[in-house]
Amino acid sequence: KPVITLHDEQKIALVQKAIANGKKIGISKIINDETGDNAQFETKQLELVPIELLLHRNNYYVGSYHLKRQCVVFFNIKQMVSVSLLDKKGTPEHYWEAYTQELAIRFGVTKNIDANVYDIKIEIANVLISFIKNHHWHPSQKITKEKNHYYLHFTCGINRELIGWLCLWMYNIKIIQPPILQDYYKKTLRKMQSNIENQFTLVYRNIFVNAAEEL
């Protein structure tokens, strides 16, 4: 069960009311960077059209249309410092198609590195097969077998959540394709190793949304 405060419950109730009545919501500011949709740590007040309240990894996220950016975004309810119900028509049905398309190409709710959809192939140790089969990771997931080797397939974008999920399996998986996913995975491992070997002060970075940063 998600750990939510009374304040969280109040925000959730306002979001649900806005969705039910097709209204916009106002957010005083968004804190932290959980999904990549607030990677620049913007603190300005914004208006959103809430489309769906999602329970994902034991947290509540609000899938919304960001009116100023003109794109779909996902924020944890805890990222929203305050939520107000605006007396403005939101017409979430106008954004439903864009919303479902965006959700389908994300692994989880995290922002992708680019607009591309990749054919992802991962070799997995056979001891993991039954566990992975019994859990939902992405709508496109499927498992194949080739000469006693098992492979997990996804058709989606690449993001921080996907890399984190791959790290969860430690040395029991191997990325077969695409090369760009291998590169991001290797870079993540290098940076983690560098943290162990160096005594510098850690500075927060999100390499998965900074297109200018070299692999």
Side-chain angles (χ1 to χ4, degrees):
K1 182 179 179 181
V3 177
I4 56 175
T5 65
L6 177 60
H7 185 45
D8 293 334
E9 291 178 352
Q10 293 170 342
K11 290 185 286 185
I12 288 170
L14 281 173
V15 168
Q16 290 175 322
K17 187 174 181 180
I19 293 172
N21 294 280
K23 297 290 186 180
K24 298 177 184 177
I25 56 173
I27 312 295
S28 63
K29 68 176 180 178
I30 302 290
I31 60 172
N32 302 327
D33 169 28
E34 293 199 28
T35 64
D37 285 314
N38 193 43
Q40 305 306 319
F41 293 93
E42 293 180 348
T43 58
K44 296 178 181 178
Q45 187 168 355
L46 68 153
E47 291 185 5
L48 301 174
V49 178
I51 299 170
E52 187 173 29
L53 182 68
L54 297 172
L55 179 59
H56 177 65
R57 294 195 173 188
N58 219 34
N59 283 278
Y60 285 107
Y61 291 86
V62 183
S64 308
Y65 191 80
H66 194 303
L67 293 164
K68 187 174 182 179
R69 292 191 207 161
Q70 295 187 334
C71 65
V72 174
V73 294
F74 294 85
F75 296 127
N76 191 321
I77 198 74
K78 293 181 180 295
Q79 289 182 263
M80 300 177 172
V81 173
S82 66
V83 179
S84 58
L85 183 64
L86 304 179
D87 190 22
K88 298 179 181 180
K89 191 70 174 175
T91 58
E93 62 274 11
H94 290 177
Y95 309 108
W96 181 256
E97 183 177 358
Y99 169 78
T100 54
Q101 288 176 352
E102 180 66 21
L103 186 59
I105 64 172
R106 292 193 182 199
F107 186 88
V109 296
T110 305
K111 185 177 180 179
N112 293 336
I113 59 170
D114 54 35
N116 296 324
V117 174
Y118 297 90
D119 289 324
I120 296 168
K121 184 178 182 181
I122 303 158
E123 184 173 358
I124 52 178
N126 59 4
V127 72
L128 299 176
I129 297 301
S130 60
F131 180 81
I132 288 178
K133 278 184 176 179
N134 290 327
H135 290 77
H136 177 80
W137 308 106
H138 189 268
S140 67
Q141 71 187 47
K142 67 177 181 178
I143 292 175
T144 61
K145 182 181 180 181
E146 303 170 24
K147 296 181 180 179
N148 295 321
H149 292 261
Y150 289 89
Y151 300 95
L152 177 63
H153 303 262
F154 295 123
T155 304
C156 62
I158 294 171
N159 58 30
R160 182 172 57 181
E161 194 168 347
L162 175 59
I163 298 293
W165 184 81
L166 292 171
C167 288
L168 173 69
W169 305 109
M170 300 174 70
Y171 35 75
N172 294 299
I173 63 100
K174 180 167 64 176
I175 300 169
I176 305 301
Q177 66 181 42
I180 190 173
L181 179 58
Q182 294 174 334
D183 291 341
Y184 269 97
Y185 188 75
K186 290 174 184 176
K187 181 174 184 179
T188 301
L189 295 179
R190 287 198 303 269
K191 288 193 176 294
M192 290 192 293
Q193 184 66 32
S194 176
N195 286 348
I196 295 172
E197 296 172 349
N198 295 284
Q199 298 301 315
F200 51 72
T201 301
L202 289 176
V203 177
Y204 178 79
R205 301 172 73 189
N206 183 351
I207 65 174
F208 301 96
V209 295
N210 187 356
E213 187 167 354
E214 294 291 334
L215 283 173

Coordinates of all heavy atoms in Angstrom, one line a residue, residues 49-135:
V49 N -3.8 19.8 -17.6 CA -5.0 19.1 -17.8 C -4.8 17.6 -17.3 O -4.2 16.8 -18.0 CB -5.5 19.1 -19.3 CG1 -6.8 18.3 -19.4 CG2 -5.6 20.5 -19.8
P50 N -5.3 17.3 -16.1 CA -5.1 15.9 -15.6 C -5.9 14.9 -16.4 O -7.1 15.2 -16.7 CB -5.6 16.0 -14.2 CG -6.6 17.1 -14.2 CD -6.1 18.1 -15.2
I51 N -5.3 13.8 -16.8 CA -6.0 12.8 -17.6 C -6.2 11.5 -16.9 O -7.2 10.9 -17.0 CB -5.1 12.6 -18.9 CG1 -5.0 13.9 -19.7 CG2 -5.8 11.5 -19.8 CD1 -4.0 13.8 -20.8
E52 N -5.2 11.1 -16.1 CA -5.3 9.8 -15.4 C -4.4 9.8 -14.1 O -3.3 10.3 -14.2 CB -5.0 8.7 -16.3 CG -5.2 7.3 -15.7 CD -5.0 6.1 -16.7 OE1 -4.2 6.3 -17.6 OE2 -5.7 5.1 -16.6
L53 N -5.0 9.2 -13.1 CA -4.2 9.0 -11.9 C -3.7 7.6 -11.9 O -4.5 6.6 -11.9 CB -5.1 9.2 -10.6 CG -4.4 9.1 -9.3 CD1 -3.4 10.2 -9.1 CD2 -5.4 9.1 -8.1
L54 N -2.4 7.4 -11.9 CA -1.8 6.1 -12.0 C -1.1 5.6 -10.7 O -0.5 6.4 -10.1 CB -0.7 6.1 -13.1 CG -1.1 6.4 -14.5 CD1 0.1 6.6 -15.4 CD2 -2.0 5.3 -15.1
L55 N -1.3 4.3 -10.4 CA -0.6 3.7 -9.3 C 0.6 3.0 -9.9 O 0.4 2.0 -10.6 CB -1.4 2.8 -8.5 CG -0.7 2.1 -7.3 CD1 -0.2 3.1 -6.3 CD2 -1.7 1.1 -6.6
H56 N 1.8 3.5 -9.7 CA 3.0 2.9 -10.4 C 4.1 2.7 -9.4 O 4.5 3.7 -8.7 CB 3.4 3.8 -11.6 CG 4.7 3.3 -12.3 ND1 4.7 2.1 -12.9 CD2 5.9 3.9 -12.3 CE1 5.9 2.0 -13.5 NE2 6.7 3.0 -13.1
R57 N 4.6 1.5 -9.2 CA 5.6 1.2 -8.2 C 5.3 1.8 -6.9 O 6.2 2.4 -6.2 CB 7.0 1.7 -8.8 CG 7.5 1.0 -10.0 CD 8.9 1.2 -10.3 NE 9.4 0.4 -11.4 CZ 10.6 0.3 -11.8 NH1 11.6 1.0 -11.2 NH2 11.0 -0.5 -12.8
N58 N 4.1 1.6 -6.5 CA 3.6 1.9 -5.1 C 3.6 3.5 -4.9 O 3.7 3.9 -3.8 CB 4.5 1.3 -4.0 CG 3.6 0.8 -2.9 OD1 2.5 0.4 -3.1 ND2 4.2 0.8 -1.7
N59 N 3.5 4.2 -6.0 CA 3.4 5.7 -5.9 C 2.2 6.1 -6.8 O 2.0 5.5 -7.9 CB 4.7 6.4 -6.3 CG 5.7 6.3 -5.2 OD1 5.7 7.1 -4.2 ND2 6.6 5.4 -5.3
Y60 N 1.6 7.2 -6.5 CA 0.6 7.8 -7.3 C 1.2 8.9 -8.2 O 1.8 9.8 -7.8 CB -0.5 8.4 -6.5 CG -1.5 7.4 -5.9 CD1 -1.4 7.1 -4.5 CD2 -2.4 6.7 -6.7 CE1 -2.2 6.2 -4.0 CE2 -3.2 5.7 -6.1 CZ -3.1 5.5 -4.8 OH -4.0 4.5 -4.2
Y61 N 1.0 8.7 -9.5 CA 1.4 9.7 -10.5 C 0.2 10.2 -11.3 O -0.8 9.5 -11.5 CB 2.4 9.0 -11.5 CG 3.7 8.6 -11.0 CD1 3.9 7.4 -10.3 CD2 4.8 9.5 -11.0 CE1 5.1 7.0 -9.8 CE2 6.0 9.1 -10.5 CZ 6.1 7.9 -9.8 OH 7.4 7.5 -9.3
V62 N 0.3 11.5 -11.6 CA -0.7 12.1 -12.4 C -0.3 12.3 -13.9 O 0.7 13.0 -14.1 CB -1.1 13.5 -11.8 CG1 -2.3 14.1 -12.6 CG2 -1.5 13.4 -10.3
G63 N -0.9 11.6 -14.8 CA -0.6 11.7 -16.2 C -1.4 12.9 -16.7 O -2.6 12.9 -16.6
S64 N -0.7 13.9 -17.2 CA -1.4 15.2 -17.6 C -0.9 15.7 -18.9 O 0.1 15.3 -19.4 CB -1.1 16.3 -16.5 OG -1.5 15.8 -15.2
Y65 N -1.7 16.7 -19.4 CA -1.2 17.5 -20.6 C -0.7 18.8 -20.1 O -1.4 19.6 -19.5 CB -2.3 17.6 -21.6 CG -1.8 18.2 -22.9 CD1 -1.2 17.3 -23.9 CD2 -1.9 19.5 -23.3 CE1 -0.7 17.8 -25.1 CE2 -1.4 20.0 -24.4 CZ -0.8 19.2 -25.3 OH -0.3 19.6 -26.5
H66 N 0.6 19.1 -20.4 CA 1.2 20.3 -20.0 C 0.9 21.4 -21.1 O 1.4 21.3 -22.2 CB 2.7 20.1 -19.9 CG 3.5 21.2 -19.2 ND1 3.4 22.5 -19.6 CD2 4.3 21.1 -18.1 CE1 4.2 23.2 -18.8 NE2 4.7 22.4 -17.9
L67 N 0.1 22.3 -20.7 CA -0.5 23.3 -21.7 C 0.6 24.2 -22.3 O 0.6 24.5 -23.5 CB -1.6 24.1 -21.1 CG -2.8 23.3 -20.7 CD1 -3.7 24.1 -19.7 CD2 -3.6 23.0 -21.9
K68 N 1.6 24.6 -21.5 CA 2.6 25.5 -22.0 C 3.6 24.8 -22.9 O 4.0 25.3 -23.9 CB 3.3 26.2 -20.8 CG 4.3 27.2 -21.3 CD 4.9 28.0 -20.1 CE 5.9 29.1 -20.5 NZ 6.5 29.8 -19.4
R69 N 4.0 23.6 -22.5 CA 4.9 22.8 -23.3 C 4.2 22.1 -24.4 O 4.9 21.6 -25.4 CB 5.6 21.8 -22.4 CG 6.6 22.3 -21.4 CD 7.4 21.2 -20.8 NE 7.8 21.4 -19.4 CZ 8.2 20.5 -18.6 NH1 8.2 19.2 -18.9 NH2 8.6 20.8 -17.4
Q70 N 2.9 21.9 -24.3 CA 2.1 21.2 -25.3 C 2.6 19.7 -25.5 O 3.0 19.3 -26.6 CB 2.1 21.9 -26.7 CG 1.5 23.3 -26.6 CD 1.3 23.9 -28.0 OE1 2.1 23.6 -28.9 NE2 0.3 24.7 -28.2
C71 N 2.7 19.0 -24.3 CA 3.1 17.6 -24.3 C 2.6 16.9 -23.1 O 2.1 17.6 -22.1 CB 4.6 17.5 -24.4 SG 5.5 18.2 -22.9
V72 N 2.6 15.6 -23.1 CA 2.2 14.8 -22.0 C 3.3 14.7 -21.0 O 4.4 14.5 -21.3 CB 1.7 13.4 -22.5 CG1 1.4 12.5 -21.3 CG2 0.5 13.5 -23.4
V73 N 2.9 14.8 -19.7 CA 3.9 14.7 -18.6 C 3.3 13.8 -17.5 O 2.1 13.6 -17.4 CB 4.3 16.1 -18.0 CG1 5.0 16.9 -19.1 CG2 3.0 16.8 -17.5
F74 N 4.3 13.3 -16.7 CA 3.9 12.5 -15.5 C 4.6 13.0 -14.3 O 5.8 13.2 -14.3 CB 4.3 11.0 -15.7 CG 3.5 10.4 -16.8 CD1 3.9 10.5 -18.2 CD2 2.3 9.7 -16.6 CE1 3.2 9.9 -19.2 CE2 1.6 9.1 -17.6 CZ 2.1 9.2 -18.9
F75 N 3.8 13.3 -13.2 CA 4.4 13.8 -12.0 C 3.9 13.0 -10.8 O 2.7 12.7 -10.8 CB 4.1 15.3 -11.7 CG 4.7 16.2 -12.8 CD1 3.8 17.1 -13.4 CD2 6.0 16.2 -13.0 CE1 4.4 18.0 -14.4 CE2 6.5 17.1 -14.0 CZ 5.7 18.0 -14.6
N76 N 4.8 12.7 -9.9 CA 4.3 12.0 -8.7 C 3.5 13.0 -7.9 O 3.8 14.2 -7.8 CB 5.6 11.6 -7.8 CG 5.2 10.7 -6.7 OD1 4.2 10.9 -6.0 ND2 6.1 9.7 -6.4
I77 N 2.4 12.5 -7.2 CA 1.6 13.4 -6.5 C 2.4 14.1 -5.4 O 2.1 15.3 -5.0 CB 0.4 12.6 -5.8 CG1 -0.7 13.6 -5.4 CG2 0.8 11.8 -4.7 CD1 -1.6 14.1 -6.5
K78 N 3.5 13.5 -4.9 CA 4.3 14.1 -3.9 C 5.2 15.2 -4.4 O 5.7 16.0 -3.7 CB 5.2 13.1 -3.2 CG 4.4 12.1 -2.4 CD 5.3 11.0 -1.7 CE 4.5 10.1 -0.9 NZ 3.8 10.7 0.3
Q79 N 5.3 15.3 -5.8 CA 6.1 16.4 -6.4 C 5.3 17.7 -6.4 O 5.9 18.7 -6.6 CB 6.5 16.0 -7.8 CG 7.6 14.9 -7.9 CD 7.9 14.7 -9.4 OE1 7.4 13.8 -10.0 NE2 8.8 15.5 -9.9
M80 N 4.0 17.5 -6.4 CA 3.1 18.7 -6.5 C 3.0 19.3 -5.1 O 2.4 18.8 -4.2 CB 1.8 18.3 -7.0 CG 1.8 17.6 -8.3 SD 0.1 17.1 -8.9 CE 0.5 16.6 -10.6
V81 N 3.6 20.5 -4.9 CA 3.6 21.2 -3.6 C 2.2 21.5 -3.2 O 1.8 21.3 -2.1 CB 4.5 22.4 -3.7 CG1 4.4 23.2 -2.4 CG2 6.0 22.0 -3.9
S82 N 1.4 22.1 -4.1 CA 0.0 22.3 -3.8 C -0.8 22.2 -5.1 O -0.3 22.4 -6.2 CB -0.2 23.7 -3.3 OG 0.1 24.7 -4.2
V83 N -2.0 21.7 -5.0 CA -2.9 21.5 -6.1 C -4.2 22.3 -5.9 O -4.8 22.3 -4.8 CB -3.2 20.0 -6.3 CG1 -4.2 19.9 -7.5 CG2 -2.0 19.2 -6.5
S84 N -4.6 23.1 -6.9 CA -5.9 23.8 -6.9 C -6.7 23.4 -8.1 O -6.2 23.2 -9.2 CB -5.6 25.3 -6.8 OG -4.9 25.7 -8.0
L85 N -8.0 23.3 -7.8 CA -9.0 23.0 -8.9 C -9.3 24.4 -9.5 O -9.9 25.3 -8.9 CB -10.2 22.3 -8.3 CG -11.2 21.9 -9.3 CD1 -10.7 20.8 -10.2 CD2 -12.5 21.3 -8.5
L86 N -9.1 24.5 -10.8 CA -9.4 25.7 -11.6 C -10.7 25.6 -12.2 O -11.2 24.6 -12.6 CB -8.3 26.0 -12.6 CG -6.8 26.0 -12.2 CD1 -5.9 26.2 -13.3 CD2 -6.6 27.1 -11.1
D87 N -11.4 26.8 -12.3 CA -12.7 26.9 -12.9 C -12.5 27.1 -14.4 O -13.0 28.1 -15.0 CB -13.5 28.0 -12.3 CG -15.0 27.9 -12.7 OD1 -15.4 26.9 -13.1 OD2 -15.6 29.0 -12.7
K88 N -11.7 26.2 -15.0 CA -11.5 26.3 -16.4 C -11.7 24.9 -17.0 O -11.2 23.9 -16.5 CB -10.0 26.7 -16.7 CG -9.7 28.1 -16.2 CD -8.2 28.5 -16.5 CE -7.9 29.8 -16.0 NZ -6.5 30.2 -16.3
K89 N -12.3 24.8 -18.2 CA -12.6 23.5 -18.8 C -11.2 23.0 -19.3 O -10.4 23.6 -20.0 CB -13.5 23.8 -20.0 CG -14.0 22.5 -20.7 CD -15.0 21.8 -19.7 CE -15.6 20.6 -20.4 NZ -16.5 19.8 -19.5
G90 N -11.0 21.7 -19.0 CA -9.8 21.0 -19.4 C -9.9 20.2 -20.6 O -8.9 20.0 -21.3
T91 N -11.1 19.6 -20.9 CA -11.3 18.7 -22.0 C -10.2 17.7 -22.2 O -9.5 17.6 -23.2 CB -11.5 19.5 -23.3 OG1 -10.3 20.3 -23.6 CG2 -12.7 20.4 -23.3
P92 N -10.1 16.8 -21.1 CA -9.0 15.8 -21.2 C -9.2 14.8 -22.4 O -8.2 14.2 -22.8 CB -9.1 15.1 -19.8 CG -10.5 15.4 -19.4 CD -10.8 16.7 -19.9
E93 N -10.5 14.7 -22.8 CA -10.7 13.7 -24.0 C -10.0 14.2 -25.2 O -9.6 13.4 -26.1 CB -12.2 13.6 -24.2 CG -12.9 14.9 -24.6 CD -13.4 15.8 -23.5 OE1 -13.0 15.5 -22.3 OE2 -14.1 16.7 -23.7
H94 N -9.7 15.5 -25.3 CA -8.9 16.0 -26.5 C -7.5 15.5 -26.5 O -6.8 15.4 -27.6 CB -8.9 17.5 -26.5 CG -10.2 18.1 -26.8 ND1 -10.5 19.5 -26.8 CD2 -11.4 17.5 -27.1 CE1 -11.7 19.7 -27.1 NE2 -12.3 18.6 -27.2
Y95 N -7.0 15.1 -25.3 CA -5.6 14.7 -25.2 C -5.4 13.2 -24.9 O -4.3 12.7 -24.8 CB -4.9 15.5 -24.1 CG -5.1 17.0 -24.2 CD1 -6.0 17.7 -23.3 CD2 -4.5 17.7 -25.2 CE1 -6.2 19.0 -23.4 CE2 -4.7 19.1 -25.3 CZ -5.5 19.7 -24.4 OH -5.8 21.1 -24.5
W96 N -6.5 12.5 -24.9 CA -6.4 11.1 -24.5 C -5.6 10.2 -25.5 O -4.8 9.4 -25.1 CB -7.8 10.5 -24.4 CG -7.8 9.0 -24.0 CD1 -8.0 7.9 -24.8 CD2 -7.5 8.5 -22.7 NE1 -7.9 6.8 -24.1 CE2 -7.6 7.1 -22.8 CE3 -7.2 9.1 -21.5 CZ2 -7.4 6.3 -21.7 CZ3 -7.0 8.3 -20.4 CH2 -7.1 6.9 -20.5
E97 N -5.7 10.5 -26.8 CA -4.9 9.7 -27.8 C -3.4 10.0 -27.6 O -2.6 9.1 -27.6 CB -5.4 10.1 -29.2 CG -4.7 9.3 -30.3 CD -5.1 9.5 -31.7 OE1 -6.1 10.4 -31.8 OE2 -4.6 8.9 -32.6
A98 N -3.1 11.3 -27.5 CA -1.7 11.6 -27.3 C -1.2 11.0 -26.0 O 0.0 10.5 -25.9 CB -1.5 13.1 -27.2
Y99 N -2.0 11.0 -25.0 CA -1.6 10.4 -23.7 C -1.4 8.9 -23.7 O -0.3 8.5 -23.3 CB -2.7 10.7 -22.6 CG -2.6 10.0 -21.3 CD1 -1.6 10.4 -20.4 CD2 -3.3 8.9 -21.0 CE1 -1.5 9.8 -19.2 CE2 -3.2 8.2 -19.9 CZ -2.2 8.6 -18.9 OH -2.1 8.0 -17.8
T100 N -2.3 8.2 -24.3 CA -2.1 6.8 -24.4 C -0.9 6.4 -25.3 O -0.2 5.4 -25.0 CB -3.4 6.1 -25.0 OG1 -3.7 6.7 -26.2 CG2 -4.5 6.2 -24.0
Q101 N -0.7 7.2 -26.3 CA 0.5 6.9 -27.2 C 1.8 7.1 -26.4 O 2.7 6.4 -26.5 CB 0.4 7.8 -28.4 CG -0.6 7.4 -29.4 CD -0.7 8.3 -30.6 OE1 -0.1 9.4 -30.6 NE2 -1.5 8.0 -31.6
E102 N 1.8 8.2 -25.6 CA 3.0 8.5 -24.9 C 3.3 7.5 -23.8 O 4.4 7.0 -23.6 CB 2.9 9.9 -24.2 CG 4.1 10.3 -23.4 CD 5.4 10.6 -24.2 OE1 5.3 10.8 -25.4 OE2 6.5 10.5 -23.6
L103 N 2.2 7.0 -23.1 CA 2.4 6.0 -22.1 C 2.8 4.7 -22.7 O 3.6 4.0 -22.0 CB 1.0 5.8 -21.4 CG 1.0 4.9 -20.1 CD1 2.0 5.4 -19.1 CD2 -0.4 4.8 -19.6
A104 N 2.4 4.4 -23.9 CA 2.8 3.1 -24.5 C 4.2 3.0 -24.9 O 4.8 1.9 -24.9 CB 1.9 2.9 -25.7
I105 N 4.8 4.2 -25.1 CA 6.3 4.1 -25.6 C 7.2 4.4 -24.4 O 8.4 4.3 -24.6 CB 6.5 5.1 -26.7 CG1 6.3 6.6 -26.3 CG2 5.7 4.8 -28.0 CD1 6.8 7.6 -27.3
R106 N 6.7 4.7 -23.2 CA 7.6 4.9 -22.1 C 7.7 3.5 -21.4 O 6.7 2.8 -21.3 CB 7.0 5.9 -21.1 CG 7.1 7.3 -21.6 CD 6.8 8.3 -20.5 NE 6.8 9.7 -21.0 CZ 6.9 10.8 -20.2 NH1 7.1 10.6 -18.9 NH2 6.9 12.0 -20.7
F107 N 8.9 3.3 -20.8 CA 9.0 2.1 -19.9 C 8.7 2.7 -18.5 O 9.4 3.4 -17.9 CB 10.4 1.5 -20.0 CG 10.6 0.3 -19.2 CD1 10.3 -1.0 -19.7 CD2 11.0 0.3 -17.8 CE1 10.4 -2.1 -19.0 CE2 11.1 -0.8 -17.1 CZ 10.8 -2.0 -17.7
G108 N 7.5 2.3 -18.1 CA 7.0 2.9 -16.8 C 6.5 4.3 -17.2 O 5.7 4.5 -18.1
V109 N 6.8 5.3 -16.3 CA 6.3 6.7 -16.5 C 7.4 7.7 -16.7 O 7.2 8.9 -16.7 CB 5.5 7.1 -15.3 CG1 4.2 6.2 -15.1 CG2 6.3 7.1 -14.0
T110 N 8.6 7.2 -17.0 CA 9.8 8.1 -17.1 C 10.0 8.6 -18.5 O 9.8 7.8 -19.5 CB 11.1 7.4 -16.6 OG1 10.8 6.9 -15.3 CG2 12.2 8.3 -16.6
K111 N 10.4 9.8 -18.7 CA 10.6 10.5 -20.0 C 11.7 9.8 -20.8 O 12.8 9.4 -20.2 CB 11.0 11.9 -19.8 CG 11.1 12.7 -21.1 CD 11.4 14.2 -20.8 CE 11.5 15.0 -22.0 NZ 11.8 16.4 -21.7
N112 N 11.4 9.5 -22.0 CA 12.4 8.9 -22.9 C 13.5 9.8 -23.3 O 13.4 11.0 -23.3 CB 11.7 8.3 -24.1 CG 10.8 7.2 -23.8 OD1 10.9 6.5 -22.8 ND2 9.8 6.9 -24.7
I113 N 14.7 9.2 -23.8 CA 15.8 10.0 -24.2 C 15.5 10.8 -25.5 O 16.1 11.8 -25.8 CB 17.1 9.2 -24.3 CG1 16.8 8.1 -25.4 CG2 17.5 8.6 -23.0 CD1 18.1 7.3 -25.8
D114 N 14.6 10.2 -26.3 CA 14.3 10.8 -27.6 C 12.9 10.3 -28.0 O 12.2 9.6 -27.3 CB 15.4 10.5 -28.7 CG 15.6 9.0 -28.8 OD1 14.7 8.2 -28.7 OD2 16.8 8.6 -29.1
A115 N 12.5 10.7 -29.2 CA 11.2 10.3 -29.7 C 11.2 8.9 -30.4 O 10.1 8.5 -30.9 CB 10.7 11.4 -30.7
N116 N 12.3 8.2 -30.4 CA 12.3 7.0 -31.1 C 11.8 5.8 -30.3 O 11.9 5.8 -29.0 CB 13.8 6.6 -31.5 CG 14.4 7.6 -32.5 OD1 13.7 8.1 -33.3 ND2 15.7 7.9 -32.3
V117 N 11.2 4.8 -31.0 CA 10.8 3.6 -30.3 C 11.8 2.5 -30.8 O 12.0 2.4 -32.0 CB 9.4 3.2 -30.8 CG1 9.0 1.9 -30.2 CG2 8.4 4.3 -30.2
Y118 N 12.3 1.7 -29.9 CA 13.4 0.8 -30.2 C 12.9 -0.7 -30.0 O 12.0 -0.9 -29.1 CB 14.6 1.0 -29.2 CG 15.2 2.3 -29.4 CD1 14.8 3.5 -28.7 CD2 16.3 2.5 -30.3 CE1 15.4 4.7 -28.9 CE2 16.9 3.8 -30.5 CZ 16.5 4.8 -29.8 OH 17.1 6.1 -29.9
D119 N 13.4 -1.6 -30.8 CA 13.2 -3.0 -30.6 C 14.3 -3.5 -29.6 O 15.5 -3.6 -30.0 CB 13.3 -3.7 -31.9 CG 12.1 -3.5 -32.8 OD1 11.0 -3.3 -32.3 OD2 12.3 -3.4 -34.1
I120 N 13.9 -3.7 -28.4 CA 14.8 -4.0 -27.4 C 14.8 -5.6 -27.1 O 13.8 -6.2 -27.0 CB 14.5 -3.3 -26.0 CG1 14.6 -1.8 -26.3 CG2 15.3 -3.8 -24.9 CD1 14.0 -1.0 -25.2
K121 N 16.0 -6.1 -27.1 CA 16.2 -7.6 -26.9 C 17.2 -7.8 -25.8 O 18.3 -7.3 -25.8 CB 16.7 -8.2 -28.2 CG 16.8 -9.7 -28.1 CD 17.2 -10.3 -29.4 CE 17.3 -11.8 -29.4 NZ 17.7 -12.4 -30.7
I122 N 16.8 -8.5 -24.8 CA 17.6 -8.7 -23.6 C 17.7 -10.2 -23.3 O 16.6 -10.9 -23.2 CB 17.0 -8.0 -22.3 CG1 16.9 -6.5 -22.6 CG2 17.9 -8.3 -21.1 CD1 15.9 -5.8 -21.8
E123 N 18.9 -10.8 -23.2 CA 19.0 -12.2 -22.8 C 18.8 -12.3 -21.3 O 19.4 -11.4 -20.5 CB 20.3 -12.8 -23.2 CG 20.4 -14.3 -22.9 CD 21.7 -14.9 -23.4 OE1 22.5 -14.2 -24.1 OE2 21.9 -16.1 -23.2
I124 N 18.1 -13.3 -20.8 CA 17.8 -13.4 -19.4 C 18.1 -14.8 -19.0 O 17.9 -15.8 -19.7 CB 16.4 -13.1 -19.0 CG1 15.4 -13.8 -19.9 CG2 16.1 -11.6 -19.2 CD1 13.9 -13.5 -19.6
A125 N 18.6 -15.0 -17.7 CA 18.9 -16.3 -17.2 C 17.6 -17.1 -17.0 O 16.6 -16.5 -16.6 CB 19.6 -16.1 -15.8
N126 N 17.6 -18.3 -17.3 CA 16.4 -19.1 -17.4 C 15.7 -19.2 -16.0 O 14.5 -19.4 -15.9 CB 16.6 -20.5 -17.9 CG 17.6 -21.3 -17.1 OD1 18.1 -20.9 -16.1 ND2 17.9 -22.5 -17.6
V127 N 16.4 -19.0 -14.9 CA 15.8 -19.0 -13.6 C 14.8 -17.8 -13.4 O 13.9 -17.9 -12.6 CB 16.9 -19.0 -12.5 CG1 17.5 -17.7 -12.4 CG2 16.3 -19.4 -11.1
L128 N 15.0 -16.8 -14.2 CA 14.1 -15.6 -14.1 C 12.8 -15.7 -14.9 O 11.9 -14.9 -14.8 CB 14.9 -14.4 -14.5 CG 16.1 -14.0 -13.8 CD1 16.8 -12.8 -14.4 CD2 15.8 -13.7 -12.3
I129 N 12.8 -16.7 -15.8 CA 11.7 -16.8 -16.8 C 10.3 -16.8 -16.1 O 9.4 -15.9 -16.4 CB 11.8 -18.0 -17.7 CG1 13.1 -18.0 -18.5 CG2 10.6 -18.1 -18.6 CD1 13.2 -16.8 -19.4
S130 N 10.0 -17.7 -15.2 CA 8.7 -17.8 -14.6 C 8.4 -16.5 -13.8 O 7.2 -16.0 -13.9 CB 8.6 -19.0 -13.7 OG 9.6 -18.9 -12.6
F131 N 9.3 -15.9 -13.2 CA 9.1 -14.7 -12.4 C 8.7 -13.5 -13.4 O 7.7 -12.8 -13.1 CB 10.3 -14.3 -11.6 CG 10.1 -13.0 -10.8 CD1 9.4 -13.0 -9.6 CD2 10.5 -11.8 -11.3 CE1 9.2 -11.9 -8.8 CE2 10.3 -10.6 -10.5 CZ 9.7 -10.7 -9.3
I132 N 9.5 -13.4 -14.4 CA 9.2 -12.3 -15.4 C 7.9 -12.5 -16.1 O 7.1 -11.5 -16.3 CB 10.4 -12.1 -16.4 CG1 11.6 -11.5 -15.6 CG2 10.0 -11.3 -17.6 CD1 12.8 -11.4 -16.5
K133 N 7.6 -13.7 -16.4 CA 6.3 -14.0 -17.1 C 5.1 -13.6 -16.2 O 4.1 -13.3 -16.8 CB 6.2 -15.5 -17.4 CG 6.9 -15.9 -18.7 CD 6.7 -17.4 -19.0 CE 7.3 -17.8 -20.3 NZ 7.1 -19.3 -20.5
N134 N 5.2 -13.7 -14.9 CA 4.1 -13.5 -14.0 C 4.0 -12.1 -13.6 O 3.2 -11.8 -12.7 CB 4.2 -14.4 -12.8 CG 4.0 -15.9 -13.1 OD1 3.2 -16.2 -14.0 ND2 4.7 -16.8 -12.4
H135 N 4.8 -11.2 -14.2 CA 4.7 -9.8 -13.8 C 4.5 -8.9 -15.1 O 5.0 -9.3 -16.2 CB 5.9 -9.3 -13.0 CG 5.9 -9.9 -11.7 ND1 6.3 -11.2 -11.4 CD2 5.6 -9.4 -10.5 CE1 6.2 -11.4 -10.1 NE2 5.8 -10.3 -9.5

